[in-house]
Amino acid sequence: MYFGVQMYGVSKEWKQDPEGFLKKIYEAGYRQIEPCLGFRVDARDYGFWIPEDLEQAMPLLAKYHIEVHAVHIFLDEYHYERELAILTELAQKYHISWFVVKSPARLTKDVMDETAARYRELAEELEKAGAGLLVHNEKEDICIRVNGKTAYEYLLEACGEKVGAEVDAGWMYCGGVDPEEFFWAHADRVKAVHYKDMKITGQEAPLGKGMVDLKACFQFARANGALQIVDMDAATLEDTCRAGKMLSGWTGDRDNTDSILCTMDVETGEETVLHEFPGIIEAPNWLNDGNTLLYNADGKIYRYEIDKDHVEQVDTGFCVQCNNDHVPSPDNQLLAVSCMPPELTDGTYESHIYVLPMTGGEPKDLTGPGLSYLHGWSPDGKELAYCAFRKKPEEETMRIEICTIPSDGGEETCLTDGKGYNDGPEYSPDGKHIWFNSTRSGLMQVWRMNRDGSGLTQMTDSDANNWFGHVSPDGKHVIYLTFAKGELEPNEHLPNMYVSLGMMDYDGQNKKKLLDLFGGQGSINVNSWAPDSRRIAYVKYVLHHK
């Protein structure tokens, strides 16, 4: 995901070694910074940047793939005509999305109303340049009440819908308001989250060492596509890097989440809820009878009968740590799963591909050591296609390739060329093509190639990340999953995000959105078309919160 650093707390480290600073925060998982921008001659004395600093930093930021989406600005409370011209130029030149202001020094109703009027005007002017305005909270505007609500809430409401919120979780907590409750109560206004942690005494604590439920804040930010900024006023670069790694470790977290198994008629758009499950289920496959779905949950594979609303576990032998990449054979006599080998007990992780009888039996390991994630079984039953993490002895970096292997075992064949992150391969119904997704053109897009790896053709080219092209049994349509650009890395497909399902013709024409849903990882990781080529199965998720 795209985490950012508020630059005020680490201004000294930045000044001492800008290039070393950027290298370290990038390695810690950060992809953006949020500078504090002042317009007075002494702004630098307070750890702020001036506009010239921002412009001079841009080439170095680009070198380390660090972006600027938001800038905290400090303006004269009453006159900022000159500053507005500078902000407009910066927004247009560097594609800055948000400028951030704070509440006025005096938190009375009259002053708040005057400030709101000025902020509305500022927001309207910034909108012309393609940017927006956010208001950042501090402790005082949470503690003080105006008309029965926090001064911060009063100001946001007075500003109107064109002004959003950048909420500092730490100051919110210090002001006596639960950040999680505030986030969800104002979900339509919160565009950015500042991570700050606090001791019970009200003093700032290192991120993750205080009283603020930061993971709940993260769950909100990920679900709603909010900017995520680490904001520690008294931090070292080491503290900042540790915080980035902590947040990056939460990206797959799915606490407090339940699952809803659904189908949709792609001709009518009618959605049917089949069953609601506590906890996580993933990746439905449809069997040939048109009545049975397979899915994974808690490392095991389950069979769900639609007409009986009945669930039973599939006997997968020692394969009890299966992930969400599993495929039945074309005749449904066999089942192939991607699974953690039972012999690995030292804390390392691998994913091998195993084949076993659908009725149960001894699994056979086809791929051996490494990371292999199954997605396709050829219609003639002779071959499996999968995403493989492979590293050649002479190379330093891992390749993520599309590979195939005979379904009864044998030599692995790599079809892709080491370019980009390649995933999700599956065969066309006639066996001539393999569909997959790849970052070889920048963002994640759906591609198609001949079965031997030749004839690479890009099938989607939208300004978004498109995953998992699934071909209908009649070969006429392809569905795929879309993540918004900018919320996560192109090679990430994370859970609990707002995504969409799209559909196109087999030749890539007539693309259209089928639906928006709260999902992502686990929703349609493997082919989920019904045998009738009219219905699709997918999983939506429900995040429980305060």
Side-chain angles (χ1 to χ4, degrees):
M1 300 200 76
Y2 286 104
F3 300 109
V5 177
Q6 202 338 292
M7 295 295 285
Y8 176 76
V10 288
S11 59
K12 291 182 180 180
E13 286 86 346
W14 162 260
K15 290 179 181 179
Q16 290 171 356
D17 182 10
E19 191 155 359
F21 176 91
L22 293 178
K23 183 178 180 180
K24 288 181 179 179
I25 67 167
Y26 184 88
E27 291 172 349
Y30 294 105
R31 296 296 180 267
Q32 57 181 293
I33 62 169
E34 183 187 77
C36 289
L37 198 65
F39 298 90
R40 290 169 35 176
V41 293
D42 61 348
R44 289 173 174 153
D45 297 338
Y46 297 92
F48 301 163
W49 291 13
I50 62 175
E52 290 83 354
D53 296 331
L54 180 59
E55 298 217 47
Q56 291 172 7
M58 281 300 183
L60 190 58
L61 295 175
K63 177 181 177 180
Y64 286 94
H65 308 287
I66 301 294
E67 300 176 346
V68 178
H69 294 292
V71 176
H72 204 124
I73 56 175
F74 293 86
L75 303 170
D76 184 289
E77 288 195 9
Y78 298 98
H79 305 288
Y80 40 75
E81 291 79 8
R82 181 182 68 87
E83 290 86 347
L84 177 59
I86 296 173
L87 297 179
T88 298
E89 181 180 356
L90 291 174
Q92 293 174 332
K93 188 174 182 179
Y94 299 115
H95 307 290
I96 295 171
S97 301
W98 303 105
F99 291 99
V100 185
V101 292
K102 62 178 185 177
S103 298
R106 294 175 56 211
L107 299 173
T108 64
K109 182 179 181 301
D110 290 344
V111 173
M112 300 279 273
D113 288 338
E114 292 174 5
T115 301
R118 289 194 296 274
Y119 284 173
R120 286 197 300 271
E121 293 177 1
L122 179 58
E124 290 173 358
E125 292 300 318
L126 290 174
E127 186 178 41
K128 298 174 184 177
L133 188 70
L134 305 179
V135 180
H136 181 279
N137 69 288
E138 296 180 351
K139 176 183 176 180
E140 290 74 15
D141 52 7
I142 304 302
C143 292
I144 293 175
R145 299 281 161 164
V146 177
N147 278 18
K149 60 191 70 175
T150 67
Y152 184 60
E153 288 174 290
Y154 181 87
L155 178 60
L156 286 174
E157 290 183 12
C159 284
E161 295 181 354
K162 288 191 176 182
V163 178
E166 180 181 79
V167 178
D168 187 302
W171 291 133
M172 185 70 62
Y173 170 82
C174 280
V177 174
D178 187 312
E180 182 184 7
E181 289 185 0
F182 187 93
F183 284 136
W184 288 102
H186 303 276
D188 60 331
R189 302 296 295 277
V190 179
K191 308 301 180 184
V193 170
H194 267 208
Y195 294 112
K196 185 187 269 93
D197 212 347
M198 293 291 179
K199 300 176 183 178
I200 197 168
T201 57
Q203 298 171 303
E204 186 175 351
L207 223 60
K209 303 294 185 180
M211 301 299 295
V212 180
D213 188 349
L214 295 173
K215 187 174 284 189
C217 299
F218 166 77
Q219 288 267 36
F220 168 85
R222 179 184 58 183
N224 290 276
L227 293 181
Q228 302 182 63
I229 309 293
V230 169
D231 180 8
M232 294 187 285
D233 293 336
T236 65
L237 181 55
E238 182 180 353
D239 292 332
T240 301
C241 291
R242 183 189 59 80
K245 292 175 181 177
M246 180 187 73
L247 292 171
S248 296
W250 291 348
T251 56
D253 183 83
R254 306 176 90 165
D255 291 348
N256 306 315
T257 304
D258 291 333
S259 308
I260 305 174
L261 180 60
C262 303
T263 63
M264 171 177 278
D265 184 321
V266 299
E267 293 185 11
T268 66
E270 181 181 359
E271 180 181 73
T272 301
V273 173
L274 298 180
H275 196 93
E276 298 183 15
F277 295 84
I280 304 298
I281 76 161
E282 299 180 300
N285 303 110
W286 224 305
L287 296 186
N288 293 339
D289 63 8
N291 182 58
T292 306
L293 291 163
L294 301 178
Y295 65 86
N296 65 281
D298 297 320
K300 303 173 181 63
I301 306 296
Y302 292 87
R303 180 185 291 109
Y304 173 76
E305 295 180 67
I306 297 175
D307 60 350
K308 299 178 181 178
D309 192 29
H310 174 71
V311 173
E312 66 179 27
Q313 184 178 333
V314 177
D315 178 8
T316 54
F318 59 72
C319 287
V320 292
Q321 298 185 69
C322 299
N323 55 53
N324 53 28
D325 298 322
H326 41 80
V327 180
S329 62
D331 61 6
N332 287 184
Q333 296 301 302
L334 300 172
L335 174 64
V337 299
S338 305
C339 184
M340 171 81 164
E343 62 270 19
L344 284 183
T345 58
D346 61 355
T348 59
Y349 178 78
E350 292 187 356
S351 175
H352 298 190
I353 295 175
Y354 297 86
V355 173
L356 65 150
M358 184 69 75
T359 55
E362 187 73 11
K364 178 182 179 180
D365 189 345
L366 295 188
T367 55
L371 294 172
S372 302
Y373 298 97
L374 174 69
H375 284 273
W377 202 318
S378 63
D380 59 15
K382 296 180 179 180
E383 194 174 74
L384 301 177
Y386 51 97
C387 166
F389 287 62
R390 301 292 183 260
K391 187 173 182 292
K392 294 183 178 181
E394 68 275 13
E395 295 180 343
E396 295 184 0
T397 58
M398 187 76 71
R399 293 184 175 210
I400 299 90
E401 306 281 34
I402 302 303
C403 295
T404 62
I405 199 168
S407 57
D408 57 359
E411 292 295 319
E412 178 177 274
T413 300
C414 183
L415 300 180
T416 45
D417 52 10
K419 294 180 181 178
Y421 187 110
N422 304 283
D423 198 354
E426 68 175 58
Y427 296 84
S428 59
D430 61 9
K432 293 181 180 180
H433 294 130
I434 291 178
W435 287 71
F436 68 107
N437 47 275
S438 176
T439 60
R440 60 186 52 236
S441 60
L443 296 175
M444 186 64 78
Q445 301 293 349
V446 178
W447 289 71
R448 189 182 73 190
M449 61 182 168
N450 295 329
R451 187 164 169 171
D452 63 2
S454 64
L456 281 169
T457 305
Q458 185 171 336
M459 305 304 294
T460 62
D461 60 357
S462 64
D463 195 31
N465 292 297
N466 298 300
W467 285 76
F468 302 135
H470 299 319
V471 188
S472 59
D474 62 9
K476 293 181 179 180
H477 297 104
V478 179
I479 60 168
Y480 53 94
L481 183 70
T482 298
F483 292 84
K485 175 186 174 183
E487 294 183 8
L488 72 180
E489 299 275 11
N491 62 359
E492 290 181 307
H493 53 295
L494 300 179
N496 288 18
M497 302 183 72
Y498 284 101
V499 296
S500 63
L501 289 180
M503 186 172 72
M504 60 182 164
D505 294 344
Y506 191 85
D507 61 3
Q509 301 299 308
N510 298 318
K511 294 180 177 69
K512 67 177 182 178
K513 182 191 292 187
L514 293 177
L515 79 157
D516 296 311
L517 69 154
F518 187 66
Q521 173 73 290
S523 290
I524 60 161
N525 286 54
V526 290
N527 193 302
S528 57
W529 280 94
D532 61 13
S533 294
R534 181 164 174 168
R535 293 171 293 163
I536 57 172
Y538 51 93
V539 183
K540 300 192 296 187
Y541 298 98
V542 177
L543 174 62
H544 300 285
H545 53 80
K546 293 180 180 177

